[in-house]
Amino acid sequence: GADRGWRGYAVSVVPALVAWAALLVGGRIGLAATAATFLALLAYDLATVRAGWAPGWYGRLRTELTLAVVLLLAAAALLG
């Protein structure tokens, strides 16, 4: 329905806004905020798979990609 459309739009915009804020903050806090945003988006994506709005393979793909990104962001925070 219309509610799902607005939610999808918000979910597509909020991560970019958080990324800009994280870029302005910088450092470990910015990297942690970016990682947290990726994890929150993963939770939403997995919920869409459970609800039947996305295919099962999408959840597996998003999980693998998100874990890779979060690990790289953690490495950057630890080494930076």
Side-chain angles (χ1 to χ4, degrees):
D3 180 49
R4 195 168 106 196
W6 279 104
R7 188 179 321 143
Y9 177 73
V11 168
S12 70
V13 172
V14 169
L17 297 175
V18 172
W20 274 106
L23 180 66
L24 293 174
V25 171
R28 289 186 172 130
I29 294 174
L31 292 168
T34 304
T37 302
F38 269 99
L39 291 171
L41 189 55
L42 174 63
Y44 175 81
D45 287 339
L46 293 177
T48 64
V49 170
R50 282 191 301 276
W53 301 340
W57 62 262
Y58 181 71
R60 290 186 300 277
L61 176 67
R62 288 290 295 138
T63 298
E64 293 171 7
L65 293 175
T66 299
L67 291 178
V69 169
V70 169
L71 286 173
L72 291 170
L73 288 168
L78 291 173
L79 300 174

Coordinates of all heavy atoms in Angstrom, one line a residue:
G1 N 0.8 -1.2 0.0 CA 0.0 0.0 0.0 C 0.8 1.2 0.0 O 2.1 1.2 -0.2
A2 N 0.2 2.4 0.2 CA 0.9 3.7 0.2 C 1.9 3.8 1.3 O 2.9 4.4 1.2 CB -0.2 4.8 0.3
D3 N 1.5 3.2 2.5 CA 2.4 3.2 3.6 C 3.7 2.6 3.3 O 4.8 3.1 3.7 CB 1.7 2.6 4.9 CG 2.6 2.6 6.1 OD1 3.2 3.6 6.4 OD2 2.8 1.5 6.7
R4 N 3.7 1.4 2.7 CA 4.9 0.7 2.3 C 5.7 1.5 1.3 O 7.0 1.5 1.4 CB 4.5 -0.6 1.7 CG 5.7 -1.6 1.6 CD 5.2 -3.0 1.3 NE 5.6 -3.3 0.0 CZ 5.1 -4.2 -0.8 NH1 4.1 -5.0 -0.3 NH2 5.5 -4.5 -2.0
G5 N 5.1 2.3 0.4 CA 5.8 3.1 -0.5 C 6.6 4.2 0.2 O 7.8 4.5 -0.1
W6 N 5.9 4.9 1.1 CA 6.6 6.0 1.9 C 7.7 5.4 2.7 O 8.8 6.1 2.8 CB 5.6 6.7 2.7 CG 4.8 7.7 2.0 CD1 3.5 7.6 1.5 CD2 5.3 9.0 1.5 NE1 3.2 8.7 0.8 CE2 4.3 9.6 0.8 CE3 6.5 9.7 1.6 CZ2 4.4 10.9 0.2 CZ3 6.7 10.9 1.0 CH2 5.6 11.5 0.3
R7 N 7.5 4.3 3.3 CA 8.6 3.7 4.1 C 9.8 3.3 3.3 O 10.9 3.6 3.7 CB 8.0 2.4 4.8 CG 9.0 1.9 5.8 CD 8.5 0.6 6.6 NE 7.1 0.7 6.9 CZ 6.2 -0.3 6.8 NH1 6.6 -1.5 6.4 NH2 4.9 -0.1 7.1
G8 N 9.5 2.8 2.1 CA 10.6 2.4 1.2 C 11.4 3.7 0.8 O 12.6 3.7 0.7
Y9 N 10.7 4.8 0.5 CA 11.3 6.0 0.1 C 12.2 6.5 1.3 O 13.3 6.9 1.1 CB 10.3 7.1 -0.2 CG 10.9 8.4 -0.6 CD1 11.5 8.6 -1.8 CD2 10.7 9.5 0.3 CE1 12.1 9.8 -2.1 CE2 11.3 10.7 0.0 CZ 12.0 10.9 -1.2 OH 12.5 12.1 -1.5
A10 N 11.6 6.5 2.5 CA 12.4 7.0 3.7 C 13.6 6.2 3.9 O 14.7 6.7 4.1 CB 11.5 7.0 4.9
V11 N 13.5 4.9 3.8 CA 14.6 4.0 4.0 C 15.7 4.2 2.9 O 16.9 4.0 3.1 CB 14.2 2.5 4.0 CG1 15.3 1.5 3.9 CG2 13.4 2.2 5.2
S12 N 15.3 4.6 1.7 CA 16.3 4.8 0.7 C 17.0 6.2 0.8 O 18.1 6.4 0.3 CB 15.6 4.8 -0.7 OG 14.8 5.9 -0.9
V13 N 16.4 7.1 1.6 CA 17.0 8.5 1.7 C 17.8 8.6 3.0 O 18.9 9.2 3.1 CB 15.9 9.5 1.7 CG1 16.4 10.9 2.1 CG2 15.2 9.5 0.3
V14 N 17.3 8.0 4.1 CA 17.9 8.2 5.4 C 19.4 7.7 5.5 O 20.2 8.5 6.0 CB 17.1 7.5 6.5 CG1 17.9 7.4 7.8 CG2 15.8 8.2 6.7
P15 N 19.8 6.6 4.9 CA 21.2 6.2 4.9 C 22.1 7.3 4.3 O 23.2 7.5 4.8 CB 21.3 4.9 4.1 CG 19.9 4.3 4.3 CD 19.0 5.5 4.3
A16 N 21.7 7.9 3.2 CA 22.5 8.9 2.6 C 22.6 10.2 3.5 O 23.7 10.8 3.6 CB 21.9 9.4 1.2
L17 N 21.6 10.5 4.2 CA 21.7 11.6 5.1 C 22.6 11.3 6.3 O 23.4 12.2 6.7 CB 20.3 12.0 5.7 CG 19.3 12.5 4.6 CD1 17.9 12.7 5.2 CD2 19.8 13.7 4.0
V18 N 22.5 10.1 6.8 CA 23.4 9.7 7.9 C 24.9 9.7 7.4 O 25.8 10.1 8.1 CB 23.0 8.3 8.4 CG1 24.1 7.7 9.4 CG2 21.7 8.4 9.1
A19 N 25.1 9.2 6.1 CA 26.4 9.2 5.6 C 27.0 10.6 5.5 O 28.2 10.8 5.8 CB 26.4 8.5 4.2
W20 N 26.2 11.6 5.1 CA 26.7 13.0 5.1 C 27.1 13.4 6.5 O 28.1 14.1 6.7 CB 25.7 13.9 4.4 CG 25.8 13.9 3.0 CD1 24.9 13.3 2.1 CD2 26.8 14.6 2.2 NE1 25.4 13.6 0.8 CE2 26.5 14.3 0.8 CE3 27.9 15.3 2.5 CZ2 27.3 14.8 -0.2 CZ3 28.7 15.8 1.5 CH2 28.4 15.6 0.2
A21 N 26.2 13.2 7.4 CA 26.5 13.6 8.8 C 27.8 12.9 9.3 O 28.6 13.5 10.0 CB 25.3 13.2 9.7
A22 N 27.9 11.6 9.0 CA 29.1 10.8 9.4 C 30.4 11.4 8.8 O 31.4 11.5 9.4 CB 29.0 9.3 9.0
L23 N 30.3 11.8 7.5 CA 31.4 12.4 6.8 C 31.8 13.7 7.5 O 33.0 14.0 7.7 CB 31.0 12.7 5.4 CG 32.1 13.3 4.5 CD1 33.3 12.4 4.3 CD2 31.5 13.7 3.1
L24 N 30.8 14.5 7.9 CA 31.1 15.8 8.6 C 31.7 15.5 10.0 O 32.6 16.3 10.4 CB 29.9 16.6 8.7 CG 29.3 17.1 7.4 CD1 27.9 17.8 7.7 CD2 30.2 18.1 6.7
V25 N 31.3 14.5 10.7 CA 31.8 14.2 12.0 C 33.2 13.6 11.9 O 34.1 14.0 12.6 CB 30.9 13.2 12.8 CG1 31.5 12.7 14.0 CG2 29.6 13.8 13.1
G26 N 33.3 12.7 10.9 CA 34.6 12.1 10.6 C 35.1 11.1 11.7 O 34.5 10.9 12.7
G27 N 36.3 10.6 11.5 CA 37.0 9.8 12.5 C 36.2 8.5 12.8 O 35.4 8.0 12.0
R28 N 36.5 8.0 14.0 CA 35.9 6.7 14.4 C 34.4 6.8 14.6 O 33.7 5.9 14.4 CB 36.6 6.2 15.7 CG 38.0 5.7 15.4 CD 38.6 5.1 16.6 NE 39.9 4.5 16.3 CZ 41.0 4.7 16.9 NH1 41.1 5.4 18.0 NH2 42.1 4.1 16.5
I29 N 34.0 7.9 15.1 CA 32.6 8.1 15.3 C 31.8 8.1 14.0 O 30.8 7.4 13.9 CB 32.3 9.4 16.1 CG1 32.9 9.3 17.5 CG2 30.8 9.7 16.1 CD1 32.8 10.6 18.3
G30 N 32.3 8.7 13.0 CA 31.7 8.7 11.7 C 31.7 7.3 11.1 O 30.7 6.9 10.5
L31 N 32.8 6.6 11.3 CA 32.8 5.2 10.8 C 31.8 4.3 11.5 O 31.2 3.5 10.9 CB 34.2 4.6 10.9 CG 35.3 5.3 9.9 CD1 36.7 4.9 10.3 CD2 35.0 4.9 8.5
A32 N 31.8 4.5 12.8 CA 30.8 3.7 13.6 C 29.4 4.0 13.2 O 28.5 3.1 13.2 CB 31.0 4.0 15.1
A33 N 29.1 5.3 13.0 CA 27.7 5.7 12.6 C 27.4 5.1 11.2 O 26.2 4.6 11.0 CB 27.6 7.2 12.5
T34 N 28.3 5.0 10.3 CA 28.1 4.4 9.0 C 27.9 2.9 9.2 O 27.0 2.4 8.5 CB 29.3 4.7 8.1 OG1 29.5 6.1 8.0 CG2 29.1 4.2 6.7
A35 N 28.7 2.3 10.0 CA 28.5 0.8 10.2 C 27.1 0.5 10.8 O 26.4 -0.4 10.4 CB 29.6 0.3 11.1
A36 N 26.7 1.4 11.8 CA 25.4 1.2 12.5 C 24.3 1.3 11.5 O 23.3 0.6 11.5 CB 25.3 2.1 13.6
T37 N 24.5 2.3 10.6 CA 23.4 2.5 9.5 C 23.3 1.3 8.6 O 22.2 0.9 8.2 CB 23.7 3.8 8.7 OG1 23.8 4.9 9.7 CG2 22.7 4.1 7.7
F38 N 24.5 0.8 8.2 CA 24.4 -0.4 7.4 C 23.7 -1.6 8.1 O 22.9 -2.3 7.5 CB 25.9 -0.9 7.0 CG 26.3 -0.2 5.7 CD1 27.1 0.9 5.7 CD2 26.0 -0.8 4.5 CE1 27.6 1.5 4.5 CE2 26.4 -0.2 3.3 CZ 27.2 0.9 3.3
L39 N 24.0 -1.8 9.4 CA 23.4 -2.8 10.1 C 21.9 -2.6 10.3 O 21.1 -3.6 10.2 CB 24.0 -3.0 11.5 CG 25.5 -3.5 11.5 CD1 26.1 -3.4 12.8 CD2 25.5 -4.9 10.9
A40 N 21.5 -1.4 10.5 CA 20.0 -1.0 10.6 C 19.3 -1.3 9.2 O 18.2 -1.8 9.2 CB 19.8 0.4 11.0
L41 N 20.0 -0.9 8.2 CA 19.4 -1.2 6.8 C 19.3 -2.7 6.6 O 18.4 -3.1 6.0 CB 20.2 -0.5 5.8 CG 19.7 -0.5 4.4 CD1 18.3 0.1 4.4 CD2 20.6 0.3 3.4
L42 N 20.3 -3.4 7.0 CA 20.2 -4.9 6.9 C 19.0 -5.4 7.6 O 18.3 -6.3 7.1 CB 21.5 -5.5 7.4 CG 21.5 -7.1 7.5 CD1 21.4 -7.7 6.1 CD2 22.8 -7.6 8.1
A43 N 18.8 -5.0 8.8 CA 17.6 -5.4 9.6 C 16.3 -5.1 8.8 O 15.4 -6.0 8.8 CB 17.6 -4.7 11.0
Y44 N 16.2 -4.0 8.2 CA 15.1 -3.6 7.4 C 14.9 -4.5 6.2 O 13.9 -5.0 5.9 CB 15.1 -2.1 7.0 CG 14.0 -1.8 6.1 CD1 12.7 -1.5 6.6 CD2 14.1 -1.8 4.7 CE1 11.6 -1.2 5.8 CE2 13.1 -1.5 3.9 CZ 11.8 -1.2 4.4 OH 10.8 -0.9 3.6
D45 N 16.0 -4.7 5.5 CA 16.0 -5.6 4.3 C 15.6 -7.0 4.7 O 14.9 -7.6 3.9 CB 17.4 -5.6 3.7 CG 17.7 -4.3 2.9 OD1 16.7 -3.6 2.6 OD2 18.9 -4.0 2.7
L46 N 16.1 -7.5 5.8 CA 15.7 -8.9 6.2 C 14.2 -9.0 6.6 O 13.6 -10.0 6.3 CB 16.6 -9.4 7.3 CG 18.1 -9.6 7.0 CD1 18.9 -10.0 8.2 CD2 18.2 -10.6 5.9
A47 N 13.7 -7.9 7.1 CA 12.3 -7.8 7.4 C 11.5 -7.8 6.2 O 10.4 -8.5 6.1 CB 12.0 -6.6 8.3
T48 N 12.0 -7.2 5.1 CA 11.2 -7.2 3.8 C 11.2 -8.6 3.2 O 10.2 -9.0 2.6 CB 11.8 -6.2 2.8 OG1 13.1 -6.5 2.5 CG2 11.7 -4.7 3.4
V49 N 12.3 -9.3 3.4 CA 12.4 -10.7 2.9 C 11.4 -11.5 3.7 O 10.6 -12.3 3.1 CB 13.8 -11.2 3.0 CG1 13.8 -12.7 2.7 CG2 14.8 -10.5 2.1
R50 N 11.4 -11.4 5.0 CA 10.4 -12.2 5.8 C 9.0 -11.9 5.5 O 8.1 -12.7 5.5 CB 10.7 -11.9 7.3 CG 11.9 -12.7 7.8 CD 11.9 -12.7 9.4 NE 12.0 -11.3 9.9 CZ 13.1 -10.6 10.0 NH1 14.3 -11.1 9.7 NH2 13.1 -9.4 10.5
A51 N 8.7 -10.6 5.1 CA 7.3 -10.2 4.8 C 7.0 -10.6 3.3 O 5.8 -10.4 3.0 CB 7.2 -8.7 4.9
G52 N 7.9 -11.1 2.6 CA 7.6 -11.5 1.2 C 7.7 -10.4 0.2 O 7.3 -10.6 -0.9
W53 N 8.2 -9.3 0.6 CA 8.4 -8.1 -0.3 C 9.6 -8.2 -1.2 O 9.8 -7.5 -2.1 CB 8.4 -6.8 0.4 CG 7.2 -6.6 1.3 CD1 5.9 -7.2 1.1 CD2 7.0 -5.7 2.4 NE1 5.1 -6.7 2.1 CE2 5.7 -5.8 2.8 CE3 7.9 -4.8 3.0 CZ2 5.3 -5.0 3.9 CZ3 7.4 -4.0 4.0 CH2 6.1 -4.1 4.5
A54 N 10.5 -9.1 -0.8 CA 11.8 -9.3 -1.5 C 12.1 -10.8 -1.5 O 11.7 -11.5 -0.6 CB 12.9 -8.5 -0.8
P55 N 12.8 -11.3 -2.5 CA 13.1 -12.7 -2.6 C 14.1 -13.1 -1.6 O 14.9 -12.3 -1.1 CB 13.7 -12.9 -4.0 CG 14.1 -11.5 -4.4 CD 13.3 -10.6 -3.7
G56 N 14.2 -14.4 -1.3 CA 15.1 -15.0 -0.3 C 16.5 -14.7 -0.6 O 17.3 -14.4 0.3
W57 N 16.9 -14.8 -1.9 CA 18.3 -14.6 -2.2 C 18.8 -13.2 -1.9 O 19.9 -13.0 -1.6 CB 18.6 -14.9 -3.7 CG 17.8 -14.0 -4.7 CD1 16.6 -14.3 -5.3 CD2 18.2 -12.7 -5.1 NE1 16.2 -13.3 -6.1 CE2 17.2 -12.3 -6.0 CE3 19.2 -11.9 -4.8 CZ2 17.2 -11.0 -6.6 CZ3 19.3 -10.6 -5.5 CH2 18.3 -10.2 -6.3
Y58 N 17.8 -12.2 -1.9 CA 18.2 -10.9 -1.6 C 18.7 -10.7 -0.2 O 19.7 -10.0 0.1 CB 17.0 -9.9 -1.8 CG 17.3 -8.5 -1.6 CD1 18.1 -7.8 -2.4 CD2 16.8 -7.8 -0.5 CE1 18.4 -6.4 -2.2 CE2 17.1 -6.5 -0.2 CZ 17.9 -5.8 -1.1 OH 18.2 -4.5 -0.8
G59 N 18.0 -11.4 0.8 CA 18.5 -11.4 2.2 C 19.8 -12.0 2.4 O 20.7 -11.4 3.1
R60 N 20.1 -13.1 1.7 CA 21.5 -13.7 1.8 C 22.5 -12.7 1.2 O 23.6 -12.5 1.8 CB 21.5 -15.0 1.1 CG 20.7 -16.1 1.8 CD 20.9 -17.5 1.2 NE 20.4 -17.5 -0.2 CZ 19.1 -17.7 -0.6 NH1 18.2 -17.8 0.3 NH2 18.8 -17.7 -1.9
L61 N 22.2 -12.1 0.1 CA 23.2 -11.2 -0.6 C 23.4 -10.0 0.3 O 24.6 -9.6 0.5 CB 22.6 -10.8 -1.9 CG 23.5 -9.7 -2.7 CD1 24.8 -10.3 -3.1 CD2 22.7 -9.2 -3.9
R62 N 22.4 -9.4 0.8 CA 22.5 -8.2 1.7 C 23.3 -8.6 3.0 O 24.1 -7.8 3.4 CB 21.2 -7.6 2.1 CG 20.5 -6.9 0.9 CD 21.2 -5.7 0.5 NE 21.0 -4.7 1.6 CZ 22.0 -3.9 2.0 NH1 23.2 -4.0 1.4 NH2 21.9 -3.1 3.0
T63 N 23.1 -9.7 3.5 CA 23.8 -10.1 4.7 C 25.3 -10.2 4.4 O 26.1 -9.7 5.2 CB 23.3 -11.5 5.3 OG1 21.9 -11.3 5.6 CG2 24.0 -11.9 6.5
E64 N 25.7 -10.9 3.4 CA 27.1 -11.1 3.0 C 27.7 -9.7 2.7 O 28.8 -9.4 3.2 CB 27.2 -12.0 1.8 CG 26.8 -13.4 2.1 CD 26.8 -14.3 0.9 OE1 27.1 -13.9 -0.2 OE2 26.3 -15.5 1.1
L65 N 27.1 -8.9 1.9 CA 27.7 -7.6 1.6 C 27.8 -6.7 2.8 O 28.8 -6.0 3.0 CB 26.8 -6.9 0.5 CG 26.9 -7.6 -0.9 CD1 25.9 -6.9 -1.8 CD2 28.3 -7.6 -1.4
T66 N 26.7 -6.7 3.6 CA 26.8 -5.8 4.8 C 27.9 -6.3 5.8 O 28.6 -5.4 6.3 CB 25.4 -5.8 5.5 OG1 24.4 -5.3 4.6 CG2 25.4 -5.0 6.8
L67 N 28.0 -7.6 6.0 CA 29.1 -8.0 6.9 C 30.5 -7.6 6.3 O 31.3 -7.2 7.1 CB 29.0 -9.5 7.1 CG 27.8 -10.0 7.9 CD1 27.8 -11.5 8.0 CD2 27.8 -9.4 9.3
A68 N 30.7 -7.7 5.0 CA 31.9 -7.3 4.4 C 32.2 -5.8 4.7 O 33.3 -5.4 5.1 CB 32.0 -7.6 3.0
V69 N 31.1 -5.0 4.5 CA 31.3 -3.5 4.6 C 31.5 -3.2 6.1 O 32.4 -2.4 6.4 CB 30.0 -2.8 4.1 CG1 30.0 -1.3 4.5 CG2 29.9 -2.9 2.6
V70 N 30.8 -3.8 7.0 CA 31.0 -3.5 8.4 C 32.4 -3.9 8.9 O 33.0 -3.2 9.7 CB 29.9 -4.1 9.3 CG1 30.1 -4.1 10.7 CG2 28.5 -3.5 8.9
L71 N 32.9 -5.1 8.4 CA 34.2 -5.5 8.8 C 35.3 -4.5 8.3 O 36.2 -4.1 9.0 CB 34.5 -6.9 8.3 CG 33.8 -8.0 9.0 CD1 34.0 -9.3 8.3 CD2 34.3 -8.1 10.4
L72 N 35.1 -4.0 7.1 CA 36.0 -3.0 6.5 C 35.9 -1.7 7.2 O 37.0 -1.0 7.5 CB 35.8 -2.8 5.0 CG 36.1 -4.0 4.1 CD1 35.6 -3.8 2.7 CD2 37.6 -4.3 4.2
L73 N 34.7 -1.3 7.6 CA 34.6 0.0 8.4 C 35.3 -0.2 9.8 O 35.9 0.7 10.3 CB 33.1 0.4 8.5 CG 32.5 0.9 7.2 CD1 31.0 1.0 7.4 CD2 33.0 2.3 6.9
A74 N 35.1 -1.4 10.4 CA 35.7 -1.6 11.7 C 37.2 -1.6 11.5 O 37.9 -1.0 12.4 CB 35.2 -2.9 12.2
A75 N 37.8 -2.2 10.5 CA 39.2 -2.2 10.3 C 39.7 -0.8 10.1 O 40.8 -0.4 10.6 CB 39.6 -3.0 9.0
A76 N 39.0 0.0 9.3 CA 39.4 1.4 9.1 C 39.4 2.2 10.4 O 40.3 3.0 10.7 CB 38.4 2.1 8.1
A77 N 38.4 1.9 11.3 CA 38.3 2.6 12.6 C 39.4 2.2 13.5 O 40.0 3.0 14.2 CB 37.0 2.3 13.3
L78 N 39.8 0.9 13.4 CA 40.9 0.4 14.3 C 42.3 0.9 13.8 O 43.1 1.2 14.6 CB 40.8 -1.1 14.4 CG 39.6 -1.6 15.2 CD1 39.6 -3.2 15.0 CD2 39.7 -1.2 16.6
L79 N 42.4 0.9 12.5 CA 43.7 1.3 11.9 C 43.9 2.8 11.7 O 45.0 3.2 11.6 CB 43.9 0.5 10.6 CG 43.9 -1.0 10.7 CD1 44.0 -1.6 9.3 CD2 45.0 -1.5 11.6
G80 N 42.8 3.5 11.7 CA 42.9 4.9 11.4 C 43.1 5.9 12.5 O 43.3 5.8 13.6

